[in-house]
Amino acid sequence: MLDRHPPIVVVLNQISVPTARQIMTTLPGAQLYGLTGRTTDVDVSFTDFGDTVRQLYRQGVPIIGLCATGILIRTLAPILTDSKTEPPVVAVAADGSVVVPLLGGITGVNDLAERIAAVLAIKPAITTTGKLQFNTVLPAPPPGYRLANPEHVKTFIADLIAGVSVSIDGDAPWLTASDIPFCADGKRQIIVTTQAISGSSDRLVYHPTSLALSIEEPSQLTIPEWIEVIRDRLATANLALAAVDCLVLPKTPAGAAIAALGTSLNLPIRWVESPEWSQNLTVIPLPNPNSLLLTPYSLNILSATAPIDPNSIGQPQGKLTIVGTGPGSAEWMSPQVRETILAATDLVGYHTYLDLVKDLSAGKQCHGSDNRVELDRSRLALDLAASGKNVVVVSSGDPGIYAMAAAVLEVLDKEAKPEWQTIDLQIAPGISAMQAAAAAVGAPLGHDFCAISLSDILKPWEVVAARIAAAAEADFAIAFYNPISRHRSWQLAAAKEILMKSRSSTTPVILARNLGRSGQEVKVITLGEFAPELADMRTVILIGSSQTRLIPRADGGSWVYTPRSYQ
Ligand code: SAH
């Protein structure tokens, strides 16, 4: 859990800040969240403690609250569900005198509490009996080991605490170094093995991740066939898939073509370019396959004497996600986008957009650039991802609407470097400016609508003009993006002229500027009143259809909507 997300330290008052900063010295990448109006010098300010903490918890972010345990308990109690996946939650006294691990026994809260206690030079208030008695947490083995039968661990620990004898078979330094009183012939057994052995309430089985799967000539089989072969080969050798650390593939187009195997088998991929990677591993000889697939293939199962450090083999699979942060404010950013940004190693984007996510960018490489260099930015992002980085390209609004997703795909399409095929490429959607503008005034896009960019940098003005005319004649509501800029001043007036040919001057027009950002301004006027100087490049303009109507509001403003049916 700690590997996925650096923890967030939450403070409610200024006297807690020095303790929080001291704690953070042992937590690389951690951020300090402080209550607005009560704290200064924090990384992120929040206004609602409950909402903020619950949101972090739901996203699996480890939380350290410098506050009373009761506050954290009451805040999280309504949403507690699965102890196997919850993030660690720790309460720390504001003066640093007490550290209480509250939640996340399985996901490492005791270790986190011990780290915090060490910097504060105190003893953590550990309450997990197994941890206290045996100095290890059997349900949460360290990296490199996987518990095969977690469903039995509670009863198993209860038996050990009751004094039932236990023996160990296999090698795991973390177990032998613990305070579990192992004996030669125990009534209970802990087995550490790569073999596919089943556990029971009398027998805990841990798989060390000391195996690697490698495919040398990937082009022979399809993905479903490879899955069958892999399952068959492991079964033949009686080896557990849970003992496999990674899938090693050649960094070639043929290797890239079967990258989806990693997701299917839930195995991280490592790309290799020469055979030297396997020097310290032993190939496990296998008898002839039982599989019906009689084609010769090039799968090897290799083993090491200890859990494999995946970073010791080749290069990880790079990831490139093009995200949309929404128009501006944090509450419009989807949890998926937030999570993706938090997990990234590198952020790529226009300076202004990277600024919008600076609360999430601590410890990451930020590659900011100017607005007009989308293709260079795309190339950089693809190259970084192909080198194994976890890259996020940041767009505002939705990344697929006049934004970076199309630019990246354009480069991928036209330049088609083979190594880009190895990237795990994803697009994470966001709320587009037209949606935020519509929501601010009602439902002007409630019936058929279209979006038109008025920029004639990437398409000739004749095309833009023809589209405006066609959309106006077809009675679409229209969202104008990129309405005007320093280099393009006359287009907006020309657009109005075209619209006026088929739409009445009383047609409602919405001018929405800086949505979700400081200086937000939303105006409802008529097409007749509309003038180019009322918009700038941070404005999205919505033009109503012939059916779009206004409803007066008590505050003097009006709701705007387009009915779902024609009168
Ligand atoms: N991908 C973005 C659009 C980028 S094009 C999206 O889906 O929203 C840039 C244009 O989007 C701007 O010229 C403006 O017309 C509009 N826009 C983007 N963010 C905006 C905001 N916060 N408020 C108003 N308009 C915005």
Short mmCIF file of all heavy atoms in Angstrom, two decimals, residues 327-328 353 395-399 401-403 431-434 480-483 512-517 536-540, ligand 1:
data_model
loop_
_atom_site.label_atom_id
_atom_site.label_comp_id
_atom_site.label_asym_id
_atom_site.label_seq_id
_atom_site.Cartn_x
_atom_site.Cartn_y
_atom_site.Cartn_z
N PRO A 327 -12.52 21.08 -15.97
CA PRO A 327 -12.22 22.46 -16.33
C PRO A 327 -11.33 23.18 -15.33
O PRO A 327 -10.60 24.09 -15.70
CB PRO A 327 -13.59 23.13 -16.38
CG PRO A 327 -14.57 22.02 -16.44
CD PRO A 327 -13.95 20.85 -15.78
N GLY A 328 -11.36 22.80 -14.06
CA GLY A 328 -10.52 23.56 -13.13
C GLY A 328 -10.53 23.03 -11.73
O GLY A 328 -9.54 22.47 -11.29
N TYR A 353 -1.60 23.76 -17.14
CA TYR A 353 -2.34 22.59 -16.69
C TYR A 353 -1.58 21.84 -15.61
O TYR A 353 -2.18 21.29 -14.69
CB TYR A 353 -2.66 21.65 -17.87
CG TYR A 353 -3.53 22.29 -18.92
CD1 TYR A 353 -3.59 21.79 -20.21
CD2 TYR A 353 -4.32 23.40 -18.61
CE1 TYR A 353 -4.39 22.38 -21.18
CE2 TYR A 353 -5.12 24.00 -19.57
CZ TYR A 353 -5.15 23.49 -20.86
OH TYR A 353 -5.94 24.08 -21.80
N SER A 395 -4.26 17.01 -19.52
CA SER A 395 -5.07 17.94 -20.32
C SER A 395 -6.10 18.56 -19.40
O SER A 395 -6.48 17.95 -18.40
CB SER A 395 -5.87 17.18 -21.39
OG SER A 395 -5.13 16.96 -22.54
N SER A 396 -6.63 19.72 -19.79
CA SER A 396 -7.76 20.22 -19.00
C SER A 396 -9.04 19.69 -19.64
O SER A 396 -9.03 19.22 -20.78
CB SER A 396 -7.76 21.74 -18.95
OG SER A 396 -8.46 22.26 -20.05
N GLY A 397 -10.14 19.76 -18.90
CA GLY A 397 -11.41 19.29 -19.44
C GLY A 397 -11.34 17.80 -19.71
O GLY A 397 -10.87 17.03 -18.88
N ASP A 398 -11.78 17.42 -20.90
CA ASP A 398 -11.68 16.02 -21.32
C ASP A 398 -10.47 15.90 -22.26
O ASP A 398 -10.30 16.74 -23.14
CB ASP A 398 -12.96 15.60 -22.05
CG ASP A 398 -12.85 14.14 -22.47
OD1 ASP A 398 -12.34 13.87 -23.58
OD2 ASP A 398 -13.26 13.28 -21.67
N PRO A 399 -9.63 14.85 -22.08
CA PRO A 399 -8.41 14.77 -22.89
C PRO A 399 -8.69 14.45 -24.35
O PRO A 399 -7.82 14.61 -25.20
CB PRO A 399 -7.63 13.62 -22.24
CG PRO A 399 -8.68 12.76 -21.62
CD PRO A 399 -9.78 13.70 -21.18
N ILE A 401 -11.22 15.87 -26.11
CA ILE A 401 -11.94 16.96 -26.77
C ILE A 401 -10.98 18.13 -26.97
O ILE A 401 -10.58 18.79 -26.00
CB ILE A 401 -13.19 17.37 -25.95
CG1 ILE A 401 -14.13 16.17 -25.87
CG2 ILE A 401 -13.87 18.60 -26.56
CD1 ILE A 401 -15.42 16.40 -25.15
N TYR A 402 -10.57 18.36 -28.21
CA TYR A 402 -9.58 19.39 -28.57
C TYR A 402 -8.40 19.35 -27.61
O TYR A 402 -8.01 20.37 -27.03
CB TYR A 402 -10.22 20.78 -28.55
CG TYR A 402 -11.46 20.88 -29.39
CD1 TYR A 402 -12.67 21.26 -28.83
CD2 TYR A 402 -11.43 20.56 -30.74
CE1 TYR A 402 -13.83 21.33 -29.60
CE2 TYR A 402 -12.59 20.62 -31.52
CZ TYR A 402 -13.77 21.00 -30.94
OH TYR A 402 -14.90 21.06 -31.70
N ALA A 403 -7.84 18.16 -27.41
CA ALA A 403 -6.79 18.06 -26.39
C ALA A 403 -5.79 16.96 -26.73
O ALA A 403 -5.73 16.48 -27.87
CB ALA A 403 -7.44 17.84 -25.03
N ILE A 431 -14.44 16.00 -17.25
CA ILE A 431 -15.61 16.83 -17.58
C ILE A 431 -15.14 17.92 -18.52
O ILE A 431 -14.16 18.63 -18.23
CB ILE A 431 -16.19 17.46 -16.30
CG1 ILE A 431 -16.69 16.37 -15.35
CG2 ILE A 431 -17.29 18.45 -16.64
CD1 ILE A 431 -17.14 16.89 -14.01
N SER A 432 -15.81 18.05 -19.66
CA SER A 432 -15.40 19.06 -20.63
C SER A 432 -16.01 20.42 -20.28
O SER A 432 -17.04 20.49 -19.59
CB SER A 432 -15.84 18.61 -22.02
OG SER A 432 -15.26 19.46 -22.98
N ALA A 433 -15.39 21.48 -20.80
CA ALA A 433 -15.84 22.84 -20.48
C ALA A 433 -17.32 23.02 -20.81
O ALA A 433 -18.06 23.66 -20.06
CB ALA A 433 -14.99 23.86 -21.23
N MET A 434 -17.78 22.45 -21.93
CA MET A 434 -19.19 22.68 -22.31
C MET A 434 -20.14 22.06 -21.29
O MET A 434 -21.22 22.59 -21.04
CB MET A 434 -19.47 22.14 -23.71
CG MET A 434 -19.35 20.65 -23.84
SD MET A 434 -19.62 20.14 -25.56
CE MET A 434 -18.99 18.48 -25.49
N PHE A 480 -19.02 26.50 -28.78
CA PHE A 480 -17.81 27.00 -29.44
C PHE A 480 -16.64 26.93 -28.48
O PHE A 480 -16.65 27.56 -27.42
CB PHE A 480 -17.99 28.46 -29.86
CG PHE A 480 -18.83 28.65 -31.10
CD1 PHE A 480 -19.76 29.69 -31.17
CD2 PHE A 480 -18.69 27.82 -32.21
CE1 PHE A 480 -20.53 29.89 -32.30
CE2 PHE A 480 -19.47 28.00 -33.35
CZ PHE A 480 -20.39 29.04 -33.39
N TYR A 481 -15.61 26.16 -28.87
CA TYR A 481 -14.35 26.12 -28.12
C TYR A 481 -13.35 27.02 -28.85
O TYR A 481 -13.54 27.34 -30.02
CB TYR A 481 -13.78 24.70 -28.08
CG TYR A 481 -14.47 23.78 -27.10
CD1 TYR A 481 -15.73 23.26 -27.37
CD2 TYR A 481 -13.87 23.43 -25.89
CE1 TYR A 481 -16.36 22.40 -26.48
CE2 TYR A 481 -14.49 22.58 -24.99
CZ TYR A 481 -15.74 22.07 -25.29
OH TYR A 481 -16.35 21.24 -24.39
N ASN A 482 -12.29 27.40 -28.17
CA ASN A 482 -11.23 28.24 -28.76
C ASN A 482 -11.84 29.42 -29.53
O ASN A 482 -11.55 29.61 -30.71
CB ASN A 482 -10.37 27.41 -29.73
CG ASN A 482 -9.65 26.28 -29.02
OD1 ASN A 482 -9.03 26.49 -27.97
ND2 ASN A 482 -9.76 25.07 -29.55
N PRO A 483 -12.68 30.23 -28.86
CA PRO A 483 -13.44 31.23 -29.62
C PRO A 483 -12.57 32.34 -30.20
O PRO A 483 -12.88 32.88 -31.26
CB PRO A 483 -14.42 31.80 -28.59
CG PRO A 483 -13.80 31.51 -27.26
CD PRO A 483 -13.03 30.24 -27.43
N ALA A 512 -19.26 31.35 -20.78
CA ALA A 512 -18.76 30.80 -19.53
C ALA A 512 -17.25 30.91 -19.53
O ALA A 512 -16.57 30.33 -20.38
CB ALA A 512 -19.19 29.36 -19.37
N ARG A 513 -16.73 31.67 -18.57
CA ARG A 513 -15.30 31.99 -18.57
C ARG A 513 -14.65 31.46 -17.29
O ARG A 513 -15.25 31.54 -16.21
CB ARG A 513 -15.18 33.51 -18.63
CG ARG A 513 -13.81 34.01 -18.81
CD ARG A 513 -13.81 35.47 -19.25
NE ARG A 513 -12.45 35.91 -19.19
CZ ARG A 513 -11.90 36.46 -18.12
NH1 ARG A 513 -12.61 36.70 -17.04
NH2 ARG A 513 -10.62 36.79 -18.12
N ASN A 514 -13.46 30.89 -17.41
CA ASN A 514 -12.70 30.41 -16.25
C ASN A 514 -13.52 29.50 -15.34
O ASN A 514 -13.49 29.62 -14.11
CB ASN A 514 -12.18 31.59 -15.41
CG ASN A 514 -10.94 32.19 -16.02
OD1 ASN A 514 -10.12 31.47 -16.60
ND2 ASN A 514 -10.82 33.49 -15.93
N LEU A 515 -14.24 28.57 -15.94
CA LEU A 515 -15.06 27.65 -15.14
C LEU A 515 -14.21 26.88 -14.14
O LEU A 515 -13.15 26.35 -14.51
CB LEU A 515 -15.76 26.66 -16.08
CG LEU A 515 -16.86 27.28 -16.94
CD1 LEU A 515 -17.10 26.45 -18.19
CD2 LEU A 515 -18.14 27.44 -16.13
N GLY A 516 -14.65 26.87 -12.89
CA GLY A 516 -13.92 26.11 -11.87
C GLY A 516 -12.58 26.70 -11.47
O GLY A 516 -11.84 26.10 -10.72
N ARG A 517 -12.27 27.86 -12.03
CA ARG A 517 -10.99 28.51 -11.69
C ARG A 517 -11.30 29.87 -11.09
O ARG A 517 -12.44 30.33 -11.14
CB ARG A 517 -10.13 28.71 -12.94
CG ARG A 517 -9.89 27.42 -13.66
CD ARG A 517 -9.04 27.63 -14.89
NE ARG A 517 -9.06 26.44 -15.71
CZ ARG A 517 -8.64 26.37 -16.96
NH1 ARG A 517 -8.14 27.43 -17.55
NH2 ARG A 517 -8.69 25.25 -17.63
N ASP A 536 -13.02 35.52 -24.37
CA ASP A 536 -11.58 35.41 -24.56
C ASP A 536 -11.23 33.93 -24.69
O ASP A 536 -12.12 33.09 -24.76
CB ASP A 536 -10.81 36.11 -23.42
CG ASP A 536 -11.04 35.43 -22.08
OD1 ASP A 536 -11.66 34.34 -22.07
OD2 ASP A 536 -10.60 35.98 -21.06
N MET A 537 -9.93 33.62 -24.72
CA MET A 537 -9.56 32.21 -24.97
C MET A 537 -9.90 31.27 -23.82
O MET A 537 -9.83 30.06 -23.95
CB MET A 537 -8.09 32.10 -25.35
CG MET A 537 -7.15 32.55 -24.27
SD MET A 537 -5.44 32.51 -24.81
CE MET A 537 -5.17 30.76 -24.94
N ARG A 538 -10.29 31.85 -22.68
CA ARG A 538 -10.71 30.99 -21.56
C ARG A 538 -12.22 30.93 -21.44
O ARG A 538 -12.76 30.68 -20.38
CB ARG A 538 -10.12 31.51 -20.27
CG ARG A 538 -8.64 31.36 -20.28
CD ARG A 538 -8.07 31.90 -19.05
NE ARG A 538 -6.67 31.58 -18.98
CZ ARG A 538 -5.94 31.85 -17.94
NH1 ARG A 538 -6.47 32.44 -16.90
NH2 ARG A 538 -4.66 31.54 -17.93
N THR A 539 -12.91 31.22 -22.55
CA THR A 539 -14.37 31.20 -22.55
C THR A 539 -14.85 30.08 -23.45
O THR A 539 -14.31 29.87 -24.53
CB THR A 539 -14.92 32.54 -23.10
OG1 THR A 539 -14.29 33.60 -22.40
CG2 THR A 539 -16.42 32.63 -22.95
N VAL A 540 -15.87 29.37 -22.98
CA VAL A 540 -16.58 28.47 -23.88
C VAL A 540 -17.95 29.11 -24.09
O VAL A 540 -18.53 29.68 -23.16
CB VAL A 540 -16.63 27.03 -23.31
CG1 VAL A 540 -17.50 26.93 -22.06
CG2 VAL A 540 -17.12 26.05 -24.35
N1 SAH B 1 -10.08 19.63 -23.47
C1 SAH B 1 -10.76 20.85 -23.11
C2 SAH B 1 -10.83 21.82 -24.26
C3 SAH B 1 -9.49 22.37 -24.66
S1 SAH B 1 -9.61 23.57 -25.97
C4 SAH B 1 -12.16 20.51 -22.60
O1 SAH B 1 -12.62 19.38 -22.80
O2 SAH B 1 -12.76 21.37 -21.97
C5 SAH B 1 -9.47 25.05 -25.05
C6 SAH B 1 -10.80 25.75 -25.00
O3 SAH B 1 -11.66 25.08 -24.09
C7 SAH B 1 -10.75 27.16 -24.48
O4 SAH B 1 -10.44 28.07 -25.51
C8 SAH B 1 -12.17 27.37 -23.98
O5 SAH B 1 -13.04 27.57 -25.06
C9 SAH B 1 -12.48 26.00 -23.41
N2 SAH B 1 -12.17 25.89 -21.97
C10 SAH B 1 -11.27 25.07 -21.39
N3 SAH B 1 -11.28 25.23 -20.05
C11 SAH B 1 -12.18 26.16 -19.77
C12 SAH B 1 -12.66 26.74 -18.54
N4 SAH B 1 -12.16 26.37 -17.36
N5 SAH B 1 -13.64 27.67 -18.63
C13 SAH B 1 -14.15 28.02 -19.83
N6 SAH B 1 -13.74 27.50 -21.00
C14 SAH B 1 -12.77 26.59 -20.98
#
